[in-house]
């Protein structure tokens, strides 16, 4: 089975919305996946620490922090 990578970009996104996105992927029947959350918030953003903490609690989630706001 092929590994599927689901990339979820995040900019000024609250943890509640991020959790909905991740849970949507987790509810799929296909199980061979990884979730990559790309945090594009500025380094001093209030959202970054909360998103990282949330991502650390779920297996198959890789958290990537951009160095500042890079955009798409």
């Amino acid at each position: 089975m092929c590994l599927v990578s689901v990339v979820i970009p995040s900019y000024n996104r609250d943890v509640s919305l991020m959790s909905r996105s991740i849970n949507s992927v987790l509810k799929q029947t296909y199980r061979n996946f990884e979730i990559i959350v790309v945090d594009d918030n500025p380094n001093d953003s209030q959202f970054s620490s909360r998103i990282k903490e949330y991502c650390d609690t779920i297996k198959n989630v890789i958290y990537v922090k951009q160095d500042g706001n890079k955009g798409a």
Side-chain angles (χ1 to χ4, degrees):
M1 237 188 258
C2 294
L3 175 66
V4 173
S5 296
V6 179
V7 179
I8 303 174
S10 175
Y11 178 75
N12 287 343
R13 182 175 294 178
D14 190 57
V15 173
S16 63
L17 187 56
M18 177 62 65
S19 67
R20 286 179 55 199
S21 300
I22 292 173
N23 285 331
S24 175
V25 176
L26 295 174
K27 289 180 183 176
Q28 302 302 311
T29 57
Y30 188 79
R31 303 309 304 164
N32 194 20
F33 63 85
E34 65 181 355
I35 301 171
I36 302 170
V37 173
V38 180
D39 183 354
D40 196 37
N41 289 300
N43 290 334
D44 61 348
S45 171
Q46 64 180 347
F47 298 107
S48 290
S49 62
R50 292 184 200 152
I51 290 172
K52 179 170 181 0
E53 287 172 10
Y54 178 74
C55 290
D56 288 345
T57 65
I58 304 168
K59 74 176 201 176
N60 293 351
V61 173
I62 300 167
Y63 173 84
V64 177
K65 174 70 176 112
Q66 294 275 44
D67 184 26
N69 179 244
K70 301 286 187 185

